[in-house]
Amino acid sequence: MTTAIYPGSYDPVTYGHLNIAFRAASLFDKVVFALAINSSKKCLFTLEERLDMIRQGIAHYAKEKNLNDSNIEVTQFDGLLANFVMKYEKPAIIRGLRAVTDFEYEYQMALMNRYQNYQVDTLFLIASLRYSFLSSSIIKEIARHNGDYKKLVPPYVYGRLWEKFNNQSRENGKV
Ligand code: PNS
């Protein structure tokens, strides 16, 4: 049984992530969204919120595109990714590549993960053109300034972002 481990911060998950995960699900026996607990990034959403959004996002994407999501799991992990993947049968790390700008960071991570554990390989899927300009950071930036991002994230994620920024504005006395 082959397993694709799809690690990330998912703050929040976008259609770009979901597109990669479902494509991996047709290539591997199992796909595991692996949310890094100790990501060096400062996240807008809590761990539980991010897990919840991934789960809701998977269910929505599967329904909307009429895809099977029975071989997609969601979990969290602490510590090194190169160690965590060994819990699974025939694991490979999956990452999406959007543009050349992603390459350097991804190249460094793939090599470092293999340096930590020579059994671990990283496979890259090229992001679908329609989502290649998406990132969680840019979505948060647009959401913060009330821009248009409705079709770029699942409806549940859209609601959580909207809530987050509107409640924050209210708390800060801006609304
Ligand atoms: O979505 P991101 O933030 O680009 O994902 C980065 C992530 C979570 C995949 C990376 O930071 C990671 O693997 N963190 C776990 C700790 C680890 O193994 N770090 C060394 C990576 S070479």
Side-chain angles (χ1 to χ4, degrees), residues 7-10 36 38-39 41 77 79-82 95 105 109 112-113:
S9 313
Y10 303 114
N38 59 349
S39 166
K41 292 179 185 168
F77 74 99
L80 284 183
L81 176 63
R95 294 281 288 175
Y105 173 58
M109 277 210 300
M112 183 51 92
N113 281 325

Side-chain angles (χ1 to χ4, degrees), residues 99-139:
V100 190
T101 42
D102 277 345
F103 184 77
E104 213 168 316
Y105 173 58
E106 295 298 336
Y107 176 77
Q108 193 180 18
M109 277 210 300
L111 287 179
M112 183 51 92
N113 281 325
R114 239 173 94 75
Y115 185 82
Q116 299 304 314
N117 178 351
Y118 73 95
Q119 289 174 286
V120 177
D121 255 309
T122 303
L123 299 175
F124 295 101
L125 292 181
I126 299 296
S128 153
L129 196 55
R130 62 194 298 215
Y131 301 129
S132 59
F133 62 100
L134 273 193
S135 71
S136 300
S137 311
I138 208 162
I139 289 289

